[in-house]
Amino acid sequence: MRVLGIDPGLTRCGVGIVDVTATRTATLVDVVVIRSGAELPLEQRLLLVGNEIERLLDLHQPHAVAIERVFAQQNLTTVMGVAQISGVALHLAAKRGLVVGLHTPSEVKSAITGYGSADKKQVATMVAKVLGLAEVPKPADASDALAIAICHAWKRGAAVASPGGSLTKAQETWLAAERSAAKSPPKRRLGS
């Protein structure tokens, strides 16, 4: 399964592409940090980042796209930039009919390090170890994007989107639970 992971950001957007086998072995395909200058108008920054994500999608032909889920922060400007780039990435993936996974930072940290509150250095070190790299990917946006891609493949089961792939019993159970949860109507709260 090939996954394109995105650590969304307006100034720096990390994009990491990995191949992951059904046995969870991950291999680096490519990693890029897309940069857009604050001096550019917003629409030009979104276009620049979007065009580069589109180029990488076309070049690497992933089976799925994984994006870090927007979470609350004190800095509204940062949240807006992350949300805008996430929207561009979601649009590009949907145009291609790709499976998209949104993963919280703690979910990614937990998948990669086993600890949901790991720091960036711990995540980067484990990404390098998982991918068999001699050095930690830099800057942090690069290692974060790779971690997001690996998390998605491990969570979904690398065989889910792989042609001819087969799932383990645990992966089948996980996938069935996800599908069941998606079909269930939301539970109402008392008084609502």
Side-chain angles (χ1 to χ4, degrees), residues 102-150:
L102 298 172
H103 305 282
T104 65
S106 60
E107 180 183 355
V108 173
K109 291 174 185 179
S110 182
I112 298 299
T113 70
Y115 179 58
S117 296
D119 63 28
K120 287 199 175 283
K121 184 178 178 182
Q122 291 169 313
V123 171
T125 299
M126 284 306 296
V127 164
K129 186 174 181 174
V130 166
L131 294 173
L133 305 176
E135 296 180 10
V136 169
K138 292 182 181 174
D141 311 278
S143 59
D144 287 351
L146 292 167
I148 293 161
I150 294 165

Side-chain angles (χ1 to χ4, degrees), residues 165-184:
S166 60
L167 299 175
T168 66
K169 190 66 178 161
Q171 290 169 335
E172 288 174 357
T173 303
W174 183 274
L175 190 57
E178 281 185 333
R179 288 180 178 151
S180 175
K183 291 179 184 176
S184 298

Side-chain angles (χ1 to χ4, degrees), residues 30-162:
D30 196 3
V31 65
V32 174
V33 176
I34 307 164
R35 300 172 190 273
S36 73
E39 74 283 355
L40 294 173
L42 175 61
E43 66 276 11
Q44 291 302 312
R45 296 177 80 185
L46 293 172
L47 180 64
L48 186 151
V49 175
N51 283 345
E52 184 62 9
I53 292 171
E54 190 165 38
R55 183 188 74 78
L56 292 166
L57 285 166
D58 291 342
L59 177 65
H60 295 296
Q61 300 291 307
H63 300 108
V65 173
I67 304 170
E68 185 175 82
R69 184 183 299 271
V70 177
F71 61 98
Q73 285 186 1
Q74 298 279 337
N75 187 339
L76 185 58
T77 303
T78 300
V79 171
M80 288 302 297
V82 168
Q84 290 163 332
I85 294 302
S86 295
V88 168
L90 286 164
H91 170 78
L92 292 170
K95 265 178 57 174
R96 289 163 176 74
L98 296 172
V99 172
V100 177
L102 298 172
H103 305 282
T104 65
S106 60
E107 180 183 355
V108 173
K109 291 174 185 179
S110 182
I112 298 299
T113 70
Y115 179 58
S117 296
D119 63 28
K120 287 199 175 283
K121 184 178 178 182
Q122 291 169 313
V123 171
T125 299
M126 284 306 296
V127 164
K129 186 174 181 174
V130 166
L131 294 173
L133 305 176
E135 296 180 10
V136 169
K138 292 182 181 174
D141 311 278
S143 59
D144 287 351
L146 292 167
I148 293 161
I150 294 165
C151 169
H152 181 80
W154 284 356
K155 179 181 176 191
R156 298 283 302 167
V160 170
S162 298

